[in-house]
Amino acid sequence: MAAGTLKEKIITSVEGEGRTKAFDVEDEKSVVENEGHSDPASHNSINSRAKQRFSSLSARIPRKLVDLCLGVLGQHLEDILGQLADISVILPRNIKMAIIAMARRKKLLDDGILIALVDESWDTLDISGSDVSDVGLLKVSQICSNLYALDIRKCRKITALGVSAVVSQCRSLQILRWGGCPSSESTARRCLSILMPKLNTVEEESWENLEDADLVDGAQSLHWLVWPNIDPDSKARLVAECPRIAVNPRSSPFSLRGVQVPPGADLHRALDEPYVAGINPRTWETCTRANGQGSNVSIDHHSPSSSDHRQPMELSQLSVAEKFRLAFVERDQRLAPKRAKNLRQHQRRADKEWAASNADAKSIVLASKFRTSLKY
């Protein structure tokens, strides 16, 4: 294999040093080939070393201010859920999508949050593993007419009604992800007929009048279907009746009949990953564990207290009442220093007002000043 075809440059700009560092992997590969070690393992080791260099430099780049602000917002997302509908009107589309992504990762995403933040300019939407139902999906289908990619995996509350609305109203939908849990698998099998093309019966006096008529129903724009646990019968039916739809395409860029597979069709990449790529993952990486009294408290995987060897409990397994109790305890602990400070300020203000308005207090103050002057 020629050295020119193996050229791979990784260029990254390191802030704070005022220059750009470039690492040319071609030089190392040419040295390996000259030494007679042109096997794929040698090239893979060079690629891995180059990626490690790139990762070490990327870690030195400071986070953007907007990502830091979103991280703080994500940590206290539970406290502003009731006000999302009011503040969403001033938020840009990417900020709305980032809030949706953080809410999904924190297991908070439901119809209320989705409807409050939905934006007509969205072209991708990832609600996998959330509590969104047909109500939220119907609202998305009405507003996001230019939706290009949708992930509804592990959405137990979504049925064929919501999928049918998205397929019929979002005419630009090309990537669809579903399945992942028994309920979603059952919904996917029932929705197969929705994806299939069907000819409509149209009565017109002349064929020239058929230009404005819908002759075909079905997912006309859908090209990529991600369904990891598809059963053989469903896959055979899709191949036979709708060969245009590629099921579970490979992540290789030229793996399917010379057609490039889009990144959104890669199952190992979340659709909303670009919107939270710069946010600290500890914003949503929280779990709960049992304390000595048998109750559950929220902890951080990266905090020192997480070294406890007790078995953690998933937040989704807790009851609604327990979640509210934990949220109240966490909020009460967070606001305790502020309440104490306000109490001290209020006490000092009250003492000053009493000293300024009460005659006895004034006499006491004057007597103390006179006594101090006598000492000197």
Side-chain angles (χ1 to χ4, degrees):
M1 182 178 296
T5 60
L6 297 176
K7 184 176 182 181
E8 177 183 357
K9 289 185 178 180
I10 301 179
I11 301 176
T12 178
S13 177
V14 181
E15 297 185 6
E17 298 183 3
R19 64 182 183 273
T20 301
K21 290 187 177 181
F23 296 95
D24 195 344
V25 186
E26 180 186 13
D27 298 336
E28 296 187 15
K29 292 181 177 179
S30 61
V31 171
V32 172
E33 290 183 353
N34 293 333
E35 293 178 356
H37 302 286
S38 59
D39 56 304
S42 301
H43 296 300
N44 293 336
S45 63
I46 294 175
N47 290 334
S48 63
R49 289 198 301 269
K51 291 179 181 179
Q52 290 176 0
R53 293 181 183 178
F54 177 75
S55 300
S56 63
L57 283 177
S58 298
R60 299 170 57 184
I61 300 177
R63 299 182 185 274
K64 297 180 180 179
L65 179 59
V66 64
D67 294 331
L68 295 175
C69 295
L70 284 174
V72 175
L73 181 64
Q75 292 176 359
H76 306 280
L77 189 59
E78 296 88 344
D79 300 333
I80 63 170
L81 293 182
Q83 290 76 33
L84 279 180
D86 299 328
I87 66 177
S88 62
V89 294
I90 62 174
L91 296 178
R93 61 177 298 274
N94 58 323
I95 302 299
K96 293 181 182 179
M97 184 62 74
I99 296 176
I100 289 287
M102 291 188 294
R104 184 180 71 84
R105 285 162 170 79
K106 298 186 70 172
K107 305 298 182 182
L108 298 173
L109 185 57
D110 56 9
D111 291 333
I113 299 177
L114 181 61
I115 294 175
L117 296 173
V118 64
D119 193 281
E120 61 180 3
S121 62
W122 286 355
D123 55 0
T124 61
L125 180 60
D126 191 340
I127 56 175
S128 58
S130 67
D131 291 331
V132 175
S133 66
D134 290 338
V135 177
L137 204 57
L138 286 172
K139 191 68 174 180
V140 169
S141 65
Q142 295 171 2
I143 297 178
C144 305
S145 57
N146 297 322
L147 199 63
Y148 170 79
L150 175 65
D151 192 341
I152 56 173
R153 291 176 298 119
K154 300 181 182 180
C155 291
R156 297 170 297 175
K157 299 182 179 181
I158 291 180
T159 64
L161 177 63
V163 177
S164 176
V166 171
V167 170
S168 61
Q169 299 188 40
C170 300
R171 298 301 182 92
S172 301
L173 186 66
Q174 295 190 20
I175 302 173
L176 179 61
R177 301 179 177 187
W178 61 18
C181 68
S183 177
S184 186
E185 294 285 342
S186 177
T187 300
R189 286 190 291 270
R190 290 196 299 269
C191 293
L192 275 182
S193 58
I194 301 176
L195 305 182
M196 305 300 177
K198 296 179 293 293
L199 290 176
N200 296 329
T201 302
V202 180
E203 297 181 0
E204 296 289 346
E205 297 180 357
S206 173
W207 63 269
E208 296 177 349
N209 298 330
L210 296 178
E211 294 181 358
D212 299 330
D214 292 333
L215 300 179
V216 181
D217 274 339
Q220 303 179 35
S221 60
L222 189 65
H223 291 284
W224 316 96
L225 179 64
V226 180
W227 188 359
N229 301 324
I230 184 173
D231 57 283
D233 295 338
S234 300
K235 187 172 183 179
R237 183 182 174 187
L238 279 171
V239 172
E241 300 185 28
C242 195
R244 181 191 71 252
I245 300 178
V247 182
N248 297 329
R250 298 179 181 271
S251 58
S252 176
F254 296 100
S255 61
L256 188 67
R257 298 189 299 272
V259 179
Q260 185 177 3
V261 178
D266 185 1
L267 181 62
H268 304 289
R269 179 185 298 182
L271 292 180
D272 55 10
E273 184 64 29
Y275 298 96
V276 294
I279 303 176
N280 193 336
R282 284 185 291 182
T283 301
W284 52 81
E285 288 181 357
T286 56
C287 67
T288 56
R289 64 178 177 86
N291 59 17
Q293 287 74 24
S295 61
N296 298 311
V297 294
S298 177
I299 65 170
D300 196 328
H301 285 299
H302 302 276
S303 62
S305 62
S306 63
S307 59
D308 196 335
H309 297 286
R310 299 172 185 174
Q311 183 68 24
M313 180 181 294
E314 294 294 338
L315 185 62
S316 59
Q317 298 176 358
L318 299 177
S319 63
V320 176
E322 185 65 16
K323 291 180 181 178
F324 272 104
R325 191 191 69 80
L326 291 177
F328 177 79
V329 171
E330 192 272 337
R331 184 175 181 273
D332 185 70
Q333 292 176 353
R334 188 176 68 252
L335 297 179
K338 185 177 181 180
R339 286 198 299 268
K341 180 180 178 181
N342 293 338
L343 182 61
R344 291 192 298 268
Q345 292 178 350
H346 180 73
Q347 185 64 35
R348 288 194 297 265
R349 190 179 300 111
D351 293 340
K352 290 181 180 179
E353 292 177 355
W354 177 78
S357 60
N358 190 281
D360 295 335
K362 290 181 180 179
S363 61
I364 293 174
V365 172
L366 292 175
S368 62
K369 290 182 178 179
F370 180 73
R371 183 180 303 174
T372 304
S373 62
L374 290 178
K375 290 182 180 179
Y376 296 100

